[in-house]
Amino acid sequence: MLNSLDTQGRPQDTRVVVAMSGGVDSSVTAALLKAEGYDVVGVTLQLYDHGDATHRKGACCAGRDIHDARAVAERIGIPHYVLDYEARFKEAVIDRFAESYAAGETPVPCIECNRSIKFADLLGTARELGARVLATGHYVVNRRGADGSQTLHRAQDSERDQSYFLFATTREQLGMLRFPLGALPKPRVRELARQYGLAIADKQDSQDICFVPTGRYADIIARLKPDAAAPGDIVDLSGNVLGRHDGIIHFTVGQRKGLKIAAAAPLYVVRLEADTRKVVVGPRAALATRTIRLHDVNWIGDGALAGERREVFVKVRSTRPPRAAWLTAGRDGVEVELADGEEGVAPGQACVFYDSAEGGARVLGGGFIRETAAVAAPQRESAHA
């Protein structure tokens, strides 16, 4: 018999490890599963030195979070463990983040944390603890597919959906991962926290990159990669020097503010040239992107990715809606052609594939943006017309 987590066995015979960050979402996840009778174990990861973040509101994993997670575990009556992942997190997430920015990219560290830490290292720890399931408080939905395997879908509440950050999850990992909050709106989650008597019911959601408590990520990068803070030229599309900057780490594609140069019309960062330390700027029209080339692509749709041109919907930033596109995988790699183009697509960001633009759409996978091109639109019907 399948239980509510879509695994065999009674809840009381099913051990579940819950990744508890100290926030309301993971706390309610643990409380819900405990109330259903599952054998719940809470695990909190210490990812970096929390000292600087103790008094920073809106910072993920701030100094009090371990205390909050422990208090919730005590309240609902489950064992709780704190695991020291600082060295692993620095290597897999912080150092890669700095390297990516120094290369002129705009990385998304939360994706790397999920891929390398939570759904790899922590998943292995959950198995060692005898767990059948690793549950998190992410706003995504897992469902059983036609072949019995687990599929990943956008949350019903598009405003809360976090599927963009989970595209790198593999089929094997999905077999053990569960996301109990995917069908719930955030106000309902806070209401449940109050019903369970959890002190964190009104705790503020995290907003910043967790290991940048000040919100000034450039300070972190400059310390780890001093060369990335070296000054250089701001140039136009023809290479004419318009001004100077104090490090490409202070810029990202699509940025308008902070250029500190006078111009007759608004200028935007079009690309960053790390080798020459140039910030290339141009009019808004220069941000238009038609083609995206990807690396480190993860495919969790049906069948194999290679061999056919697919109509999909893609998100190129977490806050943007899915857009119609064509996906092609060949000998030269994986390429996405946007049906209507997109502005400000930055190398280092993720491009995530979906089977529709609606809430609840299936996640088909995704990859990291290697390069972009403003190619003239081909004369054909729009995708999904």
Side-chain angles (χ1 to χ4, degrees):
M1 176 185 299
L2 293 175
N3 54 41
S4 64
L5 292 176
D6 202 22
T7 64
Q8 293 287 343
R10 302 179 304 167
Q12 56 265 43
D13 299 326
T14 305
R15 174 162 291 180
V16 180
V17 165
V18 177
M20 300 181 67
S21 68
V24 64
D25 298 326
S26 59
S27 297
V28 169
T29 297
L32 280 172
L33 295 174
K34 174 63 176 179
E36 287 188 47
Y38 288 98
D39 177 14
V40 178
V41 176
V43 172
T44 300
L45 304 182
Q46 181 170 321
L47 301 177
Y48 58 94
D49 184 352
H50 298 266
D52 292 338
T54 302
H55 303 294
R56 169 69 172 170
K57 290 185 177 180
C60 170
C61 306
R64 67 177 185 176
D65 286 358
I66 291 177
H67 169 78
D68 288 345
R70 183 178 291 117
V72 168
E74 183 177 352
R75 170 71 182 175
I76 64 178
I78 64 171
H80 177 255
Y81 301 96
V82 178
L83 304 182
D84 183 355
Y85 274 43
E86 281 194 38
R88 178 72 179 120
F89 185 74
K90 182 180 183 302
E91 173 191 14
V93 180
I94 299 178
D95 288 348
R96 290 184 185 180
F97 174 79
E99 290 168 2
S100 183
Y101 251 111
E105 298 177 337
T106 306
V108 188
C110 293
I111 293 175
E112 194 59 55
C113 181
N114 289 327
R115 179 170 75 159
S116 300
I117 305 296
K118 293 177 182 175
F119 298 160
D121 297 346
L122 180 56
L123 201 65
T125 298
R127 291 192 182 97
E128 292 173 0
L129 291 172
R132 297 278 300 281
V133 167
L134 172 63
T136 79
H138 287 101
Y139 285 87
V140 291
V141 175
N142 54 277
R143 298 175 185 158
R144 178 178 286 265
D147 62 355
S149 64
Q150 292 291 318
T151 58
L152 188 64
H153 299 257
R154 294 180 69 197
Q156 291 299 319
D157 183 350
S158 296
E159 294 297 318
R160 303 298 307 180
D161 174 57
Q162 294 174 301
S163 61
Y164 180 86
F165 303 101
L166 302 180
F167 81 84
T169 309
T170 66
R171 289 188 176 97
E172 180 184 8
Q173 291 166 348
L174 284 173
M176 189 173 174
L177 290 169
R178 298 294 185 272
F179 310 100
L181 304 187
L184 299 178
K186 185 59 176 262
R188 175 56 180 159
V189 173
R190 291 197 183 277
E191 181 183 332
L192 286 169
R194 296 185 192 100
Q195 290 178 10
Y196 289 121
L198 307 184
I200 46 74
D202 296 310
K203 186 174 180 178
Q204 184 178 5
D205 289 337
S206 60
Q207 298 169 357
D208 298 325
I209 297 172
C210 70
F211 54 87
V212 189
T214 64
R216 297 192 298 269
Y217 62 85
D219 294 347
I220 301 291
I221 301 165
R223 187 172 72 246
L224 296 172
K225 293 284 184 181
D227 290 346
D233 292 329
I234 299 176
V235 303
D236 64 18
L237 296 174
S238 299
N240 300 309
V241 177
L242 304 180
R244 295 281 289 174
H245 65 79
D246 54 359
I248 63 170
I249 59 175
H250 298 285
F251 301 90
T252 185
V253 171
Q255 180 176 331
R256 177 182 173 184
K257 296 180 179 180
L259 297 180
K260 299 178 181 179
I261 52 177
L267 293 175
Y268 299 80
V269 176
V270 176
R271 66 178 179 272
L272 301 171
E273 298 180 355
D275 291 345
T276 59
R277 299 199 295 274
K278 289 180 180 178
V279 174
V280 182
V281 299
R284 182 169 180 173
L287 293 174
T289 295
R290 175 70 59 177
T291 303
I292 302 171
R293 299 180 182 90
L294 306 175
H295 67 90
D296 286 353
V297 173
N298 180 53
W299 177 253
I300 51 176
D302 295 331
L305 175 58
E308 64 177 285
R309 179 180 172 87
R310 299 173 181 266
E311 294 186 6
V312 296
F313 288 83
V314 302
K315 290 183 70 169
V316 295
R317 291 209 178 186
S318 63
T319 55
R320 296 184 183 179
R323 300 289 185 89
W326 291 275
L327 177 64
T328 305
R331 287 180 297 179
D332 296 330
V334 177
E335 186 173 283
V336 170
E337 183 183 331
L338 296 160
D340 299 313
E342 183 74 277
E343 287 188 351
V345 181
Q349 292 277 318
C351 178
V352 182
F353 321 140
Y354 301 89
D355 68 354
S356 82
E358 306 303 320
R362 182 179 176 184
V363 182
L364 303 176
F368 293 98
I369 298 171
R370 175 166 55 88
E371 59 182 352
T372 65
V375 182
Q379 299 299 315
R380 59 166 67 93
E381 294 183 2
S382 293
H384 312 281

